[in-house]
Amino acid sequence: MNRRYLSAAIIIGCCLSASAGFARDGANQAGLTAYPDFAQACLAFTTGYGLAAGDNTPRPPTLGRQRGQCGSQHKPLVFSVTHENSANNHKDSANYDQKIRSYMADYDYDADMGRWVSADLVGNPNAPTLVLALDTVNFRKQNVTGWPLQYGHLFAGINDPSVSAPLAQPITVEFDLRISADVKPRLYKGYSGQRILLGVLADWAEAPPRSNRAHFIEFDFSQAAGYSQSYGDPVRPLCQDIAYDRCFYDVDGKYAEGRELSFAAQPYATRLKKRGWTHIRIPLSQAIQALHWVSPPKTWDEAALKGLYLAIESEGATRTKLEIKGYRVYGGGL
């Protein structure tokens, strides 16, 4: 089971219950996020785990600190950190607890935020820039897991759980992106690399006896050479329809399926600028429907988009800054 994908599914589904309305986002287009342009956005941080309701009930992640405009009842944008070892679990780590449903608070907000990891909304509150940064070059501490920051795959992301819509309709995401990425392989004995990505969660029931509903697609805007290979994944026979950065699924159909694409290889891609801003536009429904999933829905009316996230993932000694502005998610006309 891949814990980070489970983490994304849980954090997208948790938190406040109210969601975005379908405000008009242009001619024949309905806005699908509570925070177009990140206007008046609330940013909440995973800071721990709740108490189990009973012996057989797992402890859910909880939200602690908040930043931004947090007075509305919309689901907030959610920041989380997951630090996976080579087996994608937390066994042998200092914070291991078999009752935790999924690890998403692998950092100490007071000791770490603004140091080796940071997330903030800066500038005009009606159209701020989302800034996410991760630095394992200048910071070599052990985090709350007991693992060094440079060990394993360190994932820091912002989830927008307000995005929800049927996948049968056209759904598009647009934003302006600016990336600063640096790798220092001489500072770490193992592999060093990172990737910067947009991910979405698609929900549908797989054909019995399979029980999985979580299907992830991620678009890698920037990825260091050798990063996908650093997972050491086996060759999977149902991942051969196109060239993936990474692709996995559970043969028994119990756990999540994930497919990672190089954004640059897609027909709708724009070339990322080395300096300055790049405008990104991705037809999400079209991209999801085009893939050869292990057990796709009978019709796309039975599937739904259930959340979206922007993230940095790092292994070894890296320093990365991701900036996003002009964020829109909309359905209807293209």
Side-chain angles (χ1 to χ4, degrees), residues 222-307:
S222 176
Q223 181 168 241
Y227 192 86
S228 295
Q229 291 79 4
S230 73
Y231 280 97
D233 287 342
V235 175
R236 296 179 170 91
L238 300 182
C239 289
Q240 307 303 312
D241 53 307
I242 62 170
Y244 291 102
D245 281 351
R246 189 180 180 222
C247 173
F248 65 87
Y249 54 87
D250 177 30
V251 174
D252 295 325
K254 296 180 180 179
Y255 305 122
E257 179 176 7
R259 294 174 184 250
E260 300 173 8
L261 307 176
S262 168
F263 174 74
Q266 306 313 308
Y268 42 80
T270 50
R271 187 172 182 177
L272 266 65
K273 298 176 182 177
K274 292 183 178 180
R275 294 181 178 85
W277 295 90
T278 302
H279 185 70
I280 303 295
R281 181 182 182 276
I282 301 176
L284 293 177
S285 296
Q286 178 183 330
I288 293 170
Q289 293 175 25
L291 300 181
H292 291 190
W293 299 93
V294 173
S295 180
K298 292 180 180 178
T299 72
W300 288 103
D301 290 316
E302 299 176 355
L305 187 67
K306 289 292 188 179

Side-chain angles (χ1 to χ4, degrees), residues 197-224:
L197 63 119
L198 165 78
V200 295
L201 168 63
D203 175 88
W204 69 78
E206 297 186 2
R210 302 178 68 86
S211 57
N212 172 54
R213 297 191 65 99
H215 305 84
F216 291 89
I217 180 172
E218 293 182 347
F219 302 87
D220 294 327
F221 299 116
S222 176
Q223 181 168 241

